[in-house]
């Protein structure tokens, strides 16, 4: 990423003479836009302003916010093509893939706005027999200001899983997009402001800070009430450490090494199609993309032939009709090449492509088979169009290998009869049975992982609650029949309480 000492070249300028950086079209190397590198002081002032605005936003209530988020949703729909072009320019992905990403994000935004009141609004809970003189309620008010740090691979869909849900819950948001996709961050905040405030005074309910890793680190230390991070596991650990200094709660969505299991009775055409699309689409740069396939021996040859046929037909490129685009982050081609070499050195066989497939900025499809389980192509996130396909004796073997990873984000299972049973045995946050990545498109479902894939959830009811703090309230309806929490309690109060408890729970 180029970083230049020049006047701020884009919106949200850090002032005359401030450092700027450029976002680059990875297909051509051309500059897409220049943006300021915001320093810690700027980030802190953005968060302070957002705190002020968060009170207004929270005060609108669920109804008020639903209407305004609806206006944003409509504006986003009308701008799908324009924003998709920007996504293509900053990530290199084909336009239609960018459109799909926008559609999914819009669907999630609609769900979050529509369901926030039901999930987060105050509701009664049973106060139980011992406390039956109390009326008990719980509500989920917003934190205040949420800091969101996002990656570049799905620069709309991924951060919107935090931004849309945090806003629907009543928070203000300060968003630090990846340095590779700052323009998309601005486009999201701009459309929000346009839809919500029109030509009037814009309150900083949803704003963007731009810069490199240090700007993200500054956001962690800026006084935000919660930090939602999506990115690599290594950076996730740094984010957590920085947030720990001020006990700022964190949501951490990190990488994955997702397996796809093919059972003997699976629809092999569908399984091969899913493996290739899940492994190669978006040039393999998908946190829940398929990276490891385990196929049971009896159908392995037939399955592999189908995978090879499909993968061989794919072509990366910069044109709109390409099957997938370039490596968005240039250095990722080296990671793919390194894993490929390691696997081949250890005895893996390339059945599609090989070392010649890595020709930056593009990487052509690579399918490896008989890959040793200790090779880096199996143990580390690849984030490129490289698929490993290993034969296993049976489903038990497949499940054991699928779970033998520090990651635990998503998984796929292809099986006619045992799909859900196999899914239940996988150590991960999400499973698609007879499909791939389908869980991400269902707004009501929580999205997130375990282990090195992070913790906390975006999307669904859990995703809304992630951006709210539970607040419990009890209200005394009448004096307690047995008063024990007073210094003036009767001598026999505890005895009566124990009699009641023995009758209730002692038998
Ligand atoms: P990175 O971890 O490199 O960066 C993520 C974000 O963190 C970027 O905005 C980055 O800024 C910022 N950042 C970098 N250093 C720091 C720091 N010290 N403190 C705070 N923020 C910092 O990830 P990538 O952008 O490369 O994204 C790819 C990764 O994201 C993959 O591992 C992928 O699996 C994961 N991912 C996970 C998803 C999930 O939902 N679980 C979804 C999508 C992706 P900058 O770009 O300026 O360096």
């Amino acid at each position: 990423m180029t970083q230049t000492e020049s006047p701020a070249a884009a919106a949200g300028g850090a002032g005359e003479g401030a450092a700027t950086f450029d976002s680059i079209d990875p297909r051509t190397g051309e500059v897409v836009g220049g943006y300021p590198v915001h320093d810690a002081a700027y980030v802190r002032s953005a968060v302070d302003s957002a705190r002020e605005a968060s009170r207004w936003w929270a005060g609108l209530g669920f109804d008020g916010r639903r209407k305004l988020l609806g206006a944003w949703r409509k504006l986003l729909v009308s701008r799908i093509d324009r924003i998709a072009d920007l996504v293509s320019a900053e990530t290199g992905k084909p336009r239609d893939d960018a459109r799909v990403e926008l559609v999914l994000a819009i669907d999630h935004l609609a769900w979050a706005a529509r369901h926030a009141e039901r999930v987060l609004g105050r509701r009664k809970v049973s106060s139980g027999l011992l406390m039956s003189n109390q009326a008990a309620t719980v509500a989920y008010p917003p934190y205040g200001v949420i800091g969101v740090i996002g990656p570049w691979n799905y620069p709309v869909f991924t951060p919107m899983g935090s931004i849309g849900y945090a806003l629907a819950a009543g928070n203000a948001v300060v968003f630090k997009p990846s340095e590779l996709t700052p323009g998309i961050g601005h486009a999201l905040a701009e459309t929000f402001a346009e839809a919500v405030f029109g030509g009037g005074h814009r309150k900083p309910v949803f704003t963007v800070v731009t810069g490199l890793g240090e700007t993200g680190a500054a956001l962690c230390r800026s006084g935000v009430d919660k930090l939602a991070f999506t990115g690599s596991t290594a950076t996730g650990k740094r984010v957590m450490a920085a947030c720990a200094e001020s006990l700022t709660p964190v949501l951490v969505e990190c990488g994955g090494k997702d397996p796809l299991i093919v059972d003997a009775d699976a629809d092999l055409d569908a399984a091969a199609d899913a493996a290739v699309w899940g492994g190669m689409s978006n040039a393999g740069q998908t946190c829940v993309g398929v990276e490891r396939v385990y196929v049971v021996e009896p159908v392995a040859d037939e399955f592999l032939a189908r995978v090879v046929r499909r993968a061989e037909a794919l072509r990366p490129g910069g044109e709109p009709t390409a099957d997938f685009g370039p490596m968005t982050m240039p250095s990722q081609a080296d990671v793919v090449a390194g894993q490929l070499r390691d696997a081949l050195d250890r005895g893996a066989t390339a059945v599609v492509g090989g070392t010649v497939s890595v020709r930056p900025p593009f990487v052509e499809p690579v399918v490896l088979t008989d890959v040793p389980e200790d090779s880096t192509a199996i143990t580390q996130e690849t984030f490129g169009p490289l698929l490993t396909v290993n034969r296993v004796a049976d489903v038990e073997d497949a499940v054991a290998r699928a779970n033998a990873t520090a990651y635990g984000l998503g998984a796929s299972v292809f099986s006619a009869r045992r799909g859900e049973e196999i899914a239940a045995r996988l150590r991960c946050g999400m499973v698609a049975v007879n499909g791939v990545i389908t869980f991400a498109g269902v707004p009501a479902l929580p999205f997130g992982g375990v282990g090195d894939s992070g913790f906390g959830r975006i999307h669904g009811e859990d995703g809304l609650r992630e951006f709210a703090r539970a607040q419990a309230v009890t209200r005394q309806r009448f004096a307690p029949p047995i008063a024990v929490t007073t210094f003036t309690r009767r001598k026999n109060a505890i005895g009566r309480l124990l009699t009641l408890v023995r009758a209730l729970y002692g038998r």
Side-chain angles (χ1 to χ4, degrees):
M1 181 56 50
T2 52
Q3 188 183 338
T4 51
E5 288 293 326
S6 66
E16 192 76 16
T20 67
F21 67 104
D22 295 331
S23 78
I24 307 287
D25 186 330
R27 299 168 298 189
T28 59
E30 283 166 14
V31 172
V32 181
Y35 296 88
V37 176
H38 288 134
D39 61 12
Y42 184 97
V43 173
R44 185 167 277 278
S45 78
V47 170
D48 290 346
S49 309
R51 176 148 296 108
E52 192 67 29
S54 75
R55 295 189 190 105
W56 172 78
W57 182 245
L60 290 176
F62 292 108
D63 250 10
R65 290 194 296 272
R66 194 177 59 239
K67 285 189 191 106
L68 294 176
L69 290 173
W72 186 27
R73 186 199 69 224
K74 268 193 227 160
L75 186 62
L76 285 172
V77 171
S78 73
R79 299 272 169 87
I80 283 179
D81 285 346
R82 201 193 295 183
I83 301 174
D85 283 342
L86 186 56
V87 171
S88 288
E90 287 196 327
T91 66
K93 70 175 70 176
R95 192 183 198 213
D96 279 350
D97 288 1
R99 286 164 151 170
V100 171
E101 183 181 341
L102 271 144
V103 166
L104 286 176
I106 288 164
D107 198 28
H108 274 276
L109 178 62
W111 192 93
R114 194 170 340 115
H115 292 274
E117 182 163 17
R118 176 181 62 78
V119 177
L120 304 176
R122 189 160 290 283
R123 63 183 159 84
K124 285 185 193 163
V125 298
S126 163
S127 47
L129 203 61
L130 294 180
M131 301 296 285
S132 56
N133 68 317
Q134 301 288 328
T137 61
V138 61
Y140 296 83
Y143 275 100
V145 182
I146 305 294
V148 175
I149 297 178
W152 45 263
N153 58 339
Y154 290 89
V156 175
F157 179 64
T158 297
M160 280 294 285
S162 294
I163 295 165
Y165 286 75
L167 288 169
N171 301 279
V173 169
V174 178
F175 174 38
K176 150 72 177 79
S178 164
E179 69 196 62
L180 303 183
T181 54
I184 297 157
H186 270 296
L188 292 176
E190 278 297 311
T191 48
F192 174 86
E194 189 180 330
V196 170
F197 304 110
H201 173 67
R202 295 179 165 195
K203 298 182 201 295
V205 174
F206 169 26
T207 50
V208 166
V209 292
T210 52
L212 314 184
E214 296 77 45
T215 305
L219 187 57
C220 299
R221 297 189 172 96
S222 63
V224 288
D225 300 294
K226 183 160 186 171
L227 196 292
F229 169 81
T230 309
S232 64
T233 305
T235 310
K237 289 177 185 174
R238 284 197 281 277
V239 163
M240 241 183 119
C243 288
E245 294 166 13
S246 52
L247 220 60
T248 301
V250 287
L251 160 71
V252 184
E253 298 283 355
C254 299
K257 192 70 196 170
D258 289 8
L260 181 148
I261 292 174
V262 186
D263 198 0
D265 64 355
D267 175 338
L268 296 183
D269 281 319
D273 194 61
V276 173
W277 190 83
M280 311 286 175
S281 61
N282 204 32
Q285 305 167 118
T286 303
C287 56
V288 284
V290 176
E291 300 219 347
R292 300 175 292 150
V293 179
Y294 295 111
V295 52
V296 298
E297 186 62 55
V299 294
D301 287 340
E302 280 181 74
F303 171 76
L304 195 56
R306 288 166 164 80
V307 167
V308 168
R309 203 168 56 238
R310 285 169 170 78
E312 274 177 346
L314 300 180
R315 287 286 166 269
E319 65 282 5
T321 53
D323 294 305
F324 55 84
M327 298 281 93
T328 302
M329 188 165 62
S331 60
Q332 199 61 26
D334 298 335
V335 174
V336 179
Q339 292 190 8
L340 180 52
R341 265 196 313 275
D342 176 68
L344 294 174
D345 288 350
R346 288 168 190 262
T349 304
V351 287
V352 175
T355 46
V356 292
S357 306
V358 182
R359 41 177 197 87
F362 299 100
V363 178
E364 287 168 355
V366 179
V367 180
L368 298 177
T369 187
D370 302 324
V371 189
E373 292 288 324
D374 61 352
S375 62
T376 52
I378 296 280
T379 60
Q380 294 175 13
E381 189 179 43
T382 306
F383 236 52
L386 182 158
L387 197 61
T388 66
V389 182
N390 278 351
R391 295 154 193 271
V392 290
D394 50 31
V395 161
E396 278 56 47
D397 191 5
V399 168
R401 292 192 202 206
N403 286 340
T405 171
Y407 290 110
L409 195 54
S412 294
V413 175
F414 277 81
S415 172
R417 280 168 301 140
R418 292 203 288 168
E420 274 153 335
E421 178 203 320
I422 298 166
R425 293 163 60 195
L426 293 172
R427 178 187 165 275
C428 61
M430 302 148 294
V431 186
V433 174
N434 297 331
V436 65
I437 319 183
T438 39
F439 42 74
V442 179
L445 282 177
F447 184 104
V450 299
D452 277 3
S453 295
F455 53 84
R457 294 292 181 266
I458 54 171
H459 301 175
E461 296 187 5
D462 300 81
L464 281 167
R465 283 197 201 97
E466 199 70 51
F467 298 105
R469 54 189 170 85
Q471 191 202 39
V473 173
T474 51
R475 178 177 53 80
Q476 177 154 310
R477 296 189 299 145
F478 52 87
I482 311 172
V484 293
T485 56
T486 164
F487 286 116
T488 60
R489 72 185 167 213
R490 292 171 179 232
K491 277 204 178 97
N492 66 352
I494 298 299
R496 287 175 64 202
L497 179 67
L498 289 176
T499 304
L500 179 62
V501 165
R502 284 185 190 114
L504 278 175
Y505 302 123
R507 289 176 293 174

